[in-house]
Amino acid sequence: MKTLLLILTSLILLSCNLQKREKTSDDSDFNNESLLTEGEHYIEIDGVKLWYLVQGNGPILIVYPSSAGWGGDASVYINNLKPWGKYRKVVYFEPRGLGKSERLDSVSDYSMNKYVEELELFRRELKLKDFDLVGHCYAGMIAQKYAIKYGSYIRKLILISTTPTLKYPGYPEWEMKRPGFQSMIERYKEIESIGLTGVEKIKEQMKNWYTITFYDYNTHKVAFENIMDNTIFSELPLRQFQQNDQLNYDIVESLEIINVPTLILYGDDDFPPMVKGSKELNERISESKLVEFKECSHWCFIEHPDKFFTETIDFLK
């Protein structure tokens, strides 16, 4: 009798344990789905806590911010790319050390290659079989490097005001001819004189530099400065790019590897490396379309939103 009771008890415990395991599996599936619900999320990737925002409905589109190239967060994209949410579930991702994501102590933790691998781990964690990818400026460089290595996961690629190398000449001459160049130089002197340091100094310097990156800054000044005033800045990712990756970045010879439908957009008044780089991208990526915006500099989605969204939404559809 005791033996029978022991057997029955063991069977009951085994049954409960199997049910518990089955429920855990169900919970896991639910949690994976919940990672893409509308709103803010945190996720741990490679031991680093990262922030991202999900908006809209439809197939997944990841907007990778240009943050490490200038130290800011994803705010400028979140505020200006909302129309995409009608056609895509848009994921605004803030990589390590930027915006609301966790900071790391070493400059080397912010290399372009680490960002590429982090993006791939992010895709795996969200269990995405494929997705659309968007990158502007520095983020376009990360997007290109990702497409070269992990292109099989990309449905469509949108590259905005970016380049496959920073070795094209012409930027210093372009900068000195800008209408607001002299005012920018005077403001730099003021920033130095008031003794700002760290992220506060970076913030003021970047806000100052951006005044010359528009075809007509005054038209967008109020809205853009409001975004910049509320942007979270970081120091080490910017330092890594300026001191290391900026000098070594050149992937021109690898562009032929990219074989996904690609839309390339740039302004005719953009930085010379971005103008020349956009044309190079179009020449070397087989399935690409090039779109030029007249009387436009570095921010075609802000300076010419109607044309920008017509082109991008048509491409995504």
Side-chain angles (χ1 to χ4, degrees), residues 166-173 271-273 276:
L166 291 167
K167 295 179 180 179
Y168 299 117
Y171 177 81
E173 296 80 6
F271 320 146
K276 295 174 182 176

Side-chain angles (χ1 to χ4, degrees), residues 107-147:
V107 173
S108 62
D109 286 320
Y110 302 107
S111 70
M112 297 179 87
N113 289 336
K114 284 187 180 293
Y115 280 133
V116 169
E117 296 308 317
E118 181 181 75
L119 177 57
E120 169 56 12
L121 291 174
F122 182 64
R123 179 201 66 80
R124 293 182 195 175
E125 197 67 25
L126 295 184
K127 301 189 183 304
L128 302 179
K129 293 181 179 179
D130 54 23
F131 65 100
D132 300 317
L133 179 61
V134 177
H136 168 241
C137 193
Y138 173 90
M141 302 176 198
I142 298 296
Q144 291 169 61
K145 288 175 72 71
Y146 181 89

Side-chain angles (χ1 to χ4, degrees), residues 285-303:
I285 298 176
S286 59
E287 293 188 66
S288 65
K289 176 184 177 181
L290 183 66
V291 178
E292 180 185 71
F293 291 76
K294 298 293 185 183
E295 296 185 351
C296 178
S297 189
H298 197 56
W299 306 91
C300 55
F301 53 92
I302 297 176
E303 297 180 90

